[in-house]
Amino acid sequence: TPAVNLSSLWLAPGDVVVSQRRGSTTTDTENAGNVNTLKGVKTAVLINAGSASASEITALALRDHDAATIIGETSYGKGVVQQLFPFADGSSLKVTVAKWYSPKGTNINKTGVKPDKEVKLTEDDYKNGTDSQLSAAEAYLNQ
């Protein structure tokens, strides 16, 4: 998946990126591959209320493995696996078939990923074309 491929750039081969559970049973675990070219590089991940699904998986995997600091606002909170079942008449049914969990067992469905450093975009940011979240990430990376 894109989240596993991206996370693999920072994580050791075999590190858990995400697992899926139905009830208390783990049905699938996805692990980092062998492309950790950014392992050990100081990293900031920016998130906001529009960050969902794969971006949340990536952010949590990197934080759980101490590979990144999350900066910004609480994310959307899509912590479920859904499957689409099409019907002959062109309609379809989307069904939640599992929940996904971070390497440390966190499911963020409906709560979102809370950043390590909360930075909100302000009305002044919008008016002035500035980005306080990006500025906070740059400051963190330059410490």
Side-chain angles (χ1 to χ4, degrees), residues 19-27 96-101 105 107:
S19 61
Q20 295 179 16
R21 297 182 197 165
R22 287 189 184 138
S24 61
T25 303
T26 299
T27 59
T96 299
V97 296
K99 291 182 178 181
W100 59 259
Y101 289 82
N107 177 271

Side-chain angles (χ1 to χ4, degrees), residues 40-64:
V41 174
K42 191 173 186 179
T43 302
V45 175
L46 295 176
I47 63 170
N48 63 26
S51 304
S53 202
S55 61
E56 292 173 307
I57 289 170
T58 301
L60 282 174
L62 296 182
R63 179 166 65 192
D64 281 5

Side-chain angles (χ1 to χ4, degrees), residues 12-98:
D15 279 353
V16 172
V17 174
V18 65
S19 61
Q20 295 179 16
R21 297 182 197 165
R22 287 189 184 138
S24 61
T25 303
T26 299
T27 59
D28 187 37
T29 300
E30 297 188 53
N31 303 86
N34 296 321
V35 292
N36 59 350
T37 54
L38 297 174
K39 185 168 177 51
V41 174
K42 191 173 186 179
T43 302
V45 175
L46 295 176
I47 63 170
N48 63 26
S51 304
S53 202
S55 61
E56 292 173 307
I57 289 170
T58 301
L60 282 174
L62 296 182
R63 179 166 65 192
D64 281 5
H65 288 290
D66 297 321
T69 294
I70 302 173
I71 297 172
E73 299 174 64
T74 300
S75 65
Y76 179 77
K78 185 179 183 298
V80 295
V81 181
Q82 297 177 315
Q83 188 170 358
L84 195 61
F85 293 96
F87 297 112
D89 68 357
S91 64
S92 58
L93 175 67
K94 188 185 283 188
V95 177
T96 299
V97 296

Side-chain angles (χ1 to χ4, degrees), residues 122-131:
T122 66
E123 189 67 33
D124 286 341
D125 286 326
Y126 292 111
K127 287 178 185 175
N128 299 323
T130 57
D131 187 334

